[in-house]
Amino acid sequence: MAVKLSNNVTGQLGGPVSDINVTPLVDVMLVLLIVFMVAAPLMASGVKVDLPTSNAKPLKEEKLPIAVSLDGAGKIYVDKNEVSSASLVAALKQASEGDLDRRINIRGDKALAYGKVIETMGEINDAGYSKIALVSEPAKQ
């Protein structure tokens, strides 16, 4: 921290110093950056499923997508809430607040039959949702 003690050559003390010390501000901003870097991946998670791998590039979206997860037993989850196949559309309408342009990510366990994933995708599409994506794990290199 620097302090200016004199304004002239004779060494007389001058008026108040108007320098701003930004070190505490930088410290606080770095701590906030670390907190958000740790917390951000935890907010976009659903039910734990074993995803297949793919070389496709991730999509860029403004709103967070709704996660529809199908586990190995065929149970359906909207975000983290288990729903039946009959109440899937109602749960999606509630989660999307009626916005049919909202992206829906389908996360199907790789042990699950492909037909069950496509059947669920068809139900969502029949309800009017057109932005549907299948989620996979990135390929290991």
Side-chain angles (χ1 to χ4, degrees):
M1 179 166 86
V3 176
K4 186 175 180 183
L5 294 177
S6 66
N7 287 334
N8 57 23
V9 206
T10 61
Q12 297 175 353
L13 293 176
V17 178
S18 63
D19 294 337
I20 297 174
N21 188 0
V22 295
T23 304
L25 177 66
V26 171
D27 290 344
V28 169
M29 297 316 276
L30 287 174
V31 168
L32 287 175
L33 176 68
I34 291 170
V35 166
F36 284 115
M37 285 175 56
V38 169
L42 300 176
M43 294 188 309
S45 66
V47 176
K48 177 72 174 145
V49 294
D50 191 15
L51 295 173
T53 59
S54 171
N55 290 329
K57 297 194 180 352
L59 299 172
K60 306 272 190 256
E61 280 293 320
E62 294 175 8
K63 296 179 185 177
L64 287 176
I66 299 169
V68 174
S69 304
L70 288 90
D71 66 2
K75 294 180 184 174
I76 302 172
Y77 298 87
V78 174
D79 290 327
K80 291 187 178 185
N81 304 320
E82 183 177 355
V83 297
S84 66
S85 181
S87 64
L88 173 64
V89 174
L92 282 175
K93 286 185 180 179
Q94 181 182 5
S96 68
E97 298 169 349
D99 183 10
L100 296 178
D101 289 331
R102 188 85 178 264
R103 177 159 307 277
I104 298 175
N105 288 345
I106 298 180
R107 303 168 34 130
D109 195 304
K110 68 180 176 181
L112 188 65
Y114 186 65
K116 179 66 176 168
V117 175
I118 295 301
E119 179 184 330
T120 305
M121 189 172 166
E123 289 177 24
I124 295 170
N125 193 4
D126 289 343
Y129 294 95
S130 59
K131 294 185 175 182
I132 304 170
L134 296 174
V135 178
S136 64
E137 290 288 331
K140 294 177 177 63
Q141 307 244 343

